[in-house]
Amino acid sequence: MLKKDYCALRPPMGWNSWDCYGAAVNEEQLLGNARYIADNLKQYGWEYVVCDIQWYEPKAVSNTYNNFADLEMDEYSRLIPAVNRFPSSADGKGFAPIAEKIHNMGLKFGIHILRGIPRQAVHRNTKIKNSSRTAREIASQYSLCPWNTDMYGVNYRAEGAQEYYDSLFELYASWGVDFVKVDDIANTEFSPNNPYSAREEIEMIRSAMDSCGREMVLSLSPGPAVVSEAFHLSQNANMWRMTGDFWDQWDKLYDMFRRCEQWADHVKPGCWPDCDMLPLGKISKTEGCHGEKDRYTNFTRNEQKTMMTLWSIFRSPLILGGELRENRKEDSEIITNSDIIGIDQYSSDNRQLRRTAHEAIWTCLDRDSNRVIAMFNTSDREREISINLEAYGFNGNYSGTELWTKEVCENIQGDFKVKVPVHGVKIIRLKKKM
């Protein structure tokens, strides 16, 4: 196991500001959700509080970016928090005051960055810390993000390029950052014949993180990550996105079964293929994104259970996306089921047993070595799903508990059948009878 793996021996769990606030989150909203986690969710394992994209953009108001905006930046070409949105960052403090408050709640703090160097740094030809080179000399003018105008990629061959990334993570370590989500890097598309063309920037980031003196989780976005590069991803990152942005739409959830099947063999401690955030509760507060503005999730109750169960039995990171302070009772129930969370955090032998156009079956062992079977109905009508337990080597007579409803079923053996609602799941923990 690599040293970098020890900061994420289990799939990271937490909250990210993107699904509810887009690029516009501010200090009050960030700390308010942190306080909610500390008071209501920390006991279930939720611990990361991540400030997503463009915290350095003073005029950000929604999920839509202002093209070629003036960004807050220090003398060494490094982006810093916009003071009008994060008042505690004034006088060069950066995110340190916010990180300290979050740490004092018993939680961990994370930020989002885009790979590369700010375009405005290149245009102004500003300095690179600990290097005689300048921003213009290390930029790759052909390396552009297709959906955001803030950055140029870094030319990994240029003298001063590694020093630039080293200076970034030195700054983040001084702020007390525990988690860094790096975007426009897991599936960069500026070179159509080479979708994994940011390989060298990933390696520079890994080197900078390893030398910064602080343990941090490294998350790479967006997806879909390239399955053939699973080894390289596992050598450098703790999380990497298997998909583009995931929203509350059934077709995206249905497609995740295929993606989980593709990536299942690459899940291991410290290396977590990422199904993306959980769009639960109140989302899209600043702008309608894949649905109405300021809405509760479009997922039905059954679909929410399916999503939480699939993410957990696959062992994806669990990152909440809603405005937690507006959670309803039913929202809280989905994210505080200790049995389901325990599957995500502590299970083993996780694998898909069967998948068709209309159903999928996954299995694992829970932390007490009990066999767990998850039966998903991906069709548009109620279905009876069956499994012959003995055919998969699950011999014996079992009692079973459904982990969402807590219903108990006795004398489970051989051919086992359950009725599963539309887009729903039954996940049953089996205990062998003596």
Side-chain angles (χ1 to χ4, degrees), residues 295-396:
R295 70 182 183 276
Y296 281 98
T297 183
N298 284 324
F299 281 138
T300 67
R301 180 80 164 169
N302 286 331
E303 289 166 351
Q304 292 174 50
K305 290 180 179 180
T306 288
M307 177 174 60
M308 274 293 292
T309 304
L310 179 60
W311 267 234
S312 295
I313 203 163
F314 174 73
R315 301 202 74 194
S316 171
L318 299 177
I319 308 295
L320 300 168
E323 171 46 83
L324 299 174
R325 295 171 294 180
E326 297 186 45
N327 273 1
R328 304 160 297 184
K329 181 174 181 289
E330 55 264 38
D331 302 317
S332 297
E333 288 174 350
I334 292 290
I335 62 177
T336 58
N337 185 313
S338 296
D339 288 320
I340 301 298
I341 292 171
I343 296 296
D344 181 81
Q345 294 291 289
Y346 300 107
S347 60
S348 60
D349 191 33
N350 305 70
R351 51 197 164 99
Q352 180 181 271
L353 299 180
R354 183 171 82 225
R355 183 170 70 90
T356 71
H358 304 298
E359 61 190 48
I361 301 177
W362 277 72
T363 188
C364 70
L365 295 173
D366 70 10
R367 67 188 306 177
D368 297 318
S369 297
N370 297 305
R371 178 60 57 185
V372 176
I373 306 288
M375 306 171 82
F376 298 92
N377 176 7
T378 59
S379 75
D380 293 330
R381 63 175 179 83
E382 182 181 78
R383 294 179 66 85
E384 183 176 76
I385 300 178
S386 64
I387 180 174
N388 186 294
L389 297 174
E390 293 177 355
Y392 292 100
F394 311 146
N395 302 314

Side-chain angles (χ1 to χ4, degrees), residues 19-38:
D19 281 0
C20 51
Y21 291 110
V25 70
N26 62 35
E27 183 163 342
E28 183 278 328
Q29 293 158 348
L30 198 66
L31 290 175
N33 279 276
R35 175 47 61 192
Y36 183 95
I37 295 171

Side-chain angles (χ1 to χ4, degrees), residues 29-95:
Q29 293 158 348
L30 198 66
L31 290 175
N33 279 276
R35 175 47 61 192
Y36 183 95
I37 295 171
D39 292 344
N40 301 281
L41 300 179
K42 182 171 69 172
Q43 62 184 307
Y44 298 97
W46 305 95
E47 62 175 343
Y48 288 97
V49 179
V50 182
C51 182
D52 209 84
I53 195 168
Q54 284 201 319
W55 36 266
Y56 42 79
E57 213 279 67
K59 297 181 180 180
V61 294
S62 70
N63 297 68
T64 301
Y65 308 117
N66 299 316
N67 288 337
F68 304 103
D70 287 331
L71 310 176
E72 296 288 342
M73 188 176 75
D74 72 7
E75 63 178 315
Y76 294 116
S77 309
R78 302 177 299 186
L79 296 171
I80 56 176
V83 175
N84 64 315
R85 292 168 53 195
F86 303 96
S88 69
S89 70
D91 301 319
K93 296 184 183 72
F95 273 127

Side-chain angles (χ1 to χ4, degrees), residues 223-270:
V226 184
V227 178
S228 61
E229 296 290 352
F231 178 76
H232 188 261
L233 288 161
S234 70
Q235 293 295 293
N236 290 282
N238 301 112
M239 300 165 48
W240 52 89
R241 283 263 297 279
M242 308 188 313
T243 177
D245 282 4
F246 179 83
W247 286 94
D248 50 332
Q249 297 165 295
W250 170 249
D251 62 335
K252 291 181 179 290
L253 179 51
Y254 179 80
D255 186 56
M256 198 63 71
F257 285 91
R258 176 182 64 85
R259 297 182 187 277
C260 289
E261 179 181 314
Q262 289 178 328
W263 282 98
D265 291 340
H266 304 289
V267 177
K268 60 182 179 179

Side-chain angles (χ1 to χ4, degrees), residues 6-215:
Y6 286 91
C7 66
L9 292 176
R10 299 191 300 274
M13 295 176 60
W15 175 87
N16 176 293
S17 59
W18 173 254
D19 281 0
C20 51
Y21 291 110
V25 70
N26 62 35
E27 183 163 342
E28 183 278 328
Q29 293 158 348
L30 198 66
L31 290 175
N33 279 276
R35 175 47 61 192
Y36 183 95
I37 295 171
D39 292 344
N40 301 281
L41 300 179
K42 182 171 69 172
Q43 62 184 307
Y44 298 97
W46 305 95
E47 62 175 343
Y48 288 97
V49 179
V50 182
C51 182
D52 209 84
I53 195 168
Q54 284 201 319
W55 36 266
Y56 42 79
E57 213 279 67
K59 297 181 180 180
V61 294
S62 70
N63 297 68
T64 301
Y65 308 117
N66 299 316
N67 288 337
F68 304 103
D70 287 331
L71 310 176
E72 296 288 342
M73 188 176 75
D74 72 7
E75 63 178 315
Y76 294 116
S77 309
R78 302 177 299 186
L79 296 171
I80 56 176
V83 175
N84 64 315
R85 292 168 53 195
F86 303 96
S88 69
S89 70
D91 301 319
K93 296 184 183 72
F95 273 127
I98 287 177
E100 182 178 14
K101 289 180 180 179
I102 289 173
H103 292 156
N104 287 340
M105 297 179 199
L107 305 175
K108 296 179 180 179
F109 175 60
I111 61 172
H112 170 291
I113 65 172
L114 284 162
R115 69 176 179 91
I117 188 163
R119 291 192 192 187
Q120 72 179 34
V122 176
H123 300 159
R124 298 174 188 176
N125 204 24
T126 47
K127 295 185 289 187
I128 303 299
K129 189 173 182 182
N130 297 324
S131 175
S132 61
R133 301 300 181 179
T134 63
R136 192 171 298 168
E137 293 174 288
I138 73 166
S140 177
Q141 71 270 32
Y142 299 111
S143 177
L144 304 174
C145 176
W147 41 267
N148 180 281
T149 60
D150 292 345
M151 315 292 276
Y152 287 115
V154 168
N155 177 4
Y156 71 94
R157 296 184 179 90
E159 183 181 342
Q162 186 63 59
E163 286 81 0
Y164 166 70
Y165 271 120
D166 289 347
S167 74
L168 284 187
F169 282 87
E170 175 189 276
L171 180 65
Y172 304 155
S174 75
W175 288 347
V177 170
D178 306 297
F179 181 114
V180 180
K181 174 184 174 181
V182 185
D183 214 338
D184 188 38
I185 199 164
N187 182 31
T188 52
E189 296 176 345
F190 59 84
S191 178
N193 296 322
N194 183 11
Y196 196 63
S197 49
R199 167 189 295 270
E200 289 80 10
E201 280 196 77
I202 291 172
E203 292 172 0
M204 286 194 291
I205 288 166
R206 178 75 264 156
S207 175
M209 187 175 277
D210 287 343
S211 63
C212 76
R214 185 174 181 84
E215 189 176 82

